[in-house]
Amino acid sequence: MQNPHSIRYLLIAVALLLGVSWAFAAVEDTKPPAYPSSSYLITADQLRQRVQDEPVVIVDVRSDEHFDGKMIPGAIRLPWSLFRQDYSATNIGGTFIGTAEAQKILGQHGIFRNDQLVLYDAVARDGGATASYLFWILDLLGHKKMAILERGIDGWLDAGGEVVNSPAQREPLLYQAPAKEIDTRKIADEAFISPRLGDPYYQLIDVRSEEEYLGKALNTGLDGTPLKAGHIPGAYNINYESNWVDKQGKAIKSYAELAELYRGLDPDKAVIVYCHSGRRGSFSYFILRLMGFEDVQLYDNSWYGWGRPERYYPTETNPRKMSGQALPTPGKRNPADSAGPKTEPAAATGQTSQEDTPDADSTGGKKYISCGG
């Protein structure tokens, strides 16, 4: 017969082990949930470790007017503005140059299809809202490995990172995305959106300021002509600045905070984001991809394209509120239905059209906002 004291000691040891396990489990439960696509965001400390472990191409996307001469060691310069052009004939400014030209530029700067890219800008330039434009292009091209450095060069400096004053140089390469990997669905235009107004599968997010959304502040065309007031019928307003903890530091909110911000948005449906010219919209595009949303589309022409006075596209000025209460929890999304329109355009369904509003062609003392992106 076994010694009863031995059995007692064994039971005590098992109890202690279970207690420790439960304690660790409790600690795990208290950890804040990570971003579902956490590989898309990197901190300065993580970047310092990453460059020691694997090849990384660091890309400074700041345009000349926002470049202060301080760069992360080893970074190349690739201004995001290279990927945009104005269309004076259509009075639209700063829109995407197209996938062929984008690949040409990437190759000229020595970027290869399989490179791990880390993109950065600066807090002064909206802390990721230009790096996100290149992120969107890479996503469109089916590039697999890219991330945005949180708070850009400012986050790097605050973490004690060294800087240099000259960029690294890379030999030109051929950047070629297989046609089947280029996801043109990630870019939307007026012809795509207009027949889908009212289609419950498509959720529209206007990321401009509330004043712009409500038509109290007007965007302008490339030539300075005021565009229509208001927003696309059915669009919700979530200002891109809401994605930051605060406007000074411009750190990105935690996943839990973002989930609360986008409460009611269905991750199993498509989300189309837009602003004035696509820059701010690209930042919200990035945030939604970080949150695990898969079917996200950037309306690159944005209000430049929709709000032109001479074109028929319905608008409204009344606010929309998301009715759902569920937090967005990305999962397996439904296949997108791109077969064509399911509903009539908003004007045909009785929604307010800017053409019907008395101030359609009048500035009425409203504040102008030009080319803010």
Side-chain angles (χ1 to χ4, degrees), residues 81-293:
S81 51
L82 294 178
F83 296 90
R84 289 160 60 98
Q85 61 184 348
D86 294 340
Y87 291 92
S88 56
T90 56
N91 204 20
I92 296 177
T95 53
F96 181 45
I97 57 174
T99 55
E101 191 65 21
Q103 292 180 81
K104 181 180 175 183
I105 293 173
L106 290 169
Q108 288 171 341
H109 287 76
I111 292 176
F112 190 59
R113 181 72 173 160
N114 292 324
D115 281 337
Q116 169 67 61
L117 304 178
V118 173
L119 318 170
Y120 75 87
D121 47 29
V123 167
R125 192 49 173 157
D126 274 355
T130 50
S132 58
Y133 196 80
L134 185 50
F135 176 94
W136 165 68
I137 292 170
L138 292 166
D139 211 20
L140 170 64
L141 293 174
H143 197 97
K144 302 300 183 188
K145 297 184 290 186
M146 65 279 194
I148 288 181
L149 175 61
E150 188 174 30
R151 300 185 64 242
I153 189 69
D154 301 280
W156 178 260
L157 289 168
D158 290 347
E162 297 180 355
V163 292
V164 297
N165 55 16
S166 60
Q169 301 294 330
R170 293 173 65 87
E171 292 294 322
L173 296 167
L174 175 63
Y175 187 101
Q176 187 165 22
K180 64 180 181 182
E181 295 182 15
I182 298 176
D183 189 355
T184 55
R185 186 177 169 77
K186 294 188 181 303
I187 182 169
D189 60 15
E190 299 84 20
F192 181 88
I193 296 172
S194 181
R196 288 168 175 77
L197 294 180
D199 186 329
Y201 182 75
Y202 292 92
Q203 304 163 105
L204 281 160
I205 303 294
D206 185 322
V207 311
R208 298 175 299 167
S209 68
E210 185 179 21
E211 284 188 322
E212 292 169 276
Y213 173 76
L214 296 176
K216 296 177 180 178
L218 300 182
N219 293 125
T220 60
L222 184 61
D223 64 358
T225 303
L227 302 176
K228 294 178 184 177
H231 54 269
I232 299 176
Y236 306 109
N237 181 219
I238 302 178
N239 189 327
Y240 79 113
E241 295 178 335
S242 303
N243 297 306
W244 296 319
V245 175
D246 57 64
K247 293 182 182 179
Q248 290 71 43
K250 295 179 181 173
I252 294 173
K253 286 180 176 175
S254 67
Y255 175 57
E257 292 171 314
L258 291 175
E260 188 64 36
L261 176 64
Y262 290 92
R263 179 184 286 273
L265 203 61
D266 189 343
D268 290 334
K269 297 180 180 179
V271 185
I272 301 174
V273 293
Y274 74 92
C275 54
H276 176 207
S277 69
R279 182 183 67 86
R280 290 177 288 180
S282 73
F283 187 62
S284 295
Y285 174 95
F286 163 72
I287 292 294
L288 290 169
R289 295 287 286 130
L290 180 66
M291 295 176 67
F293 284 67

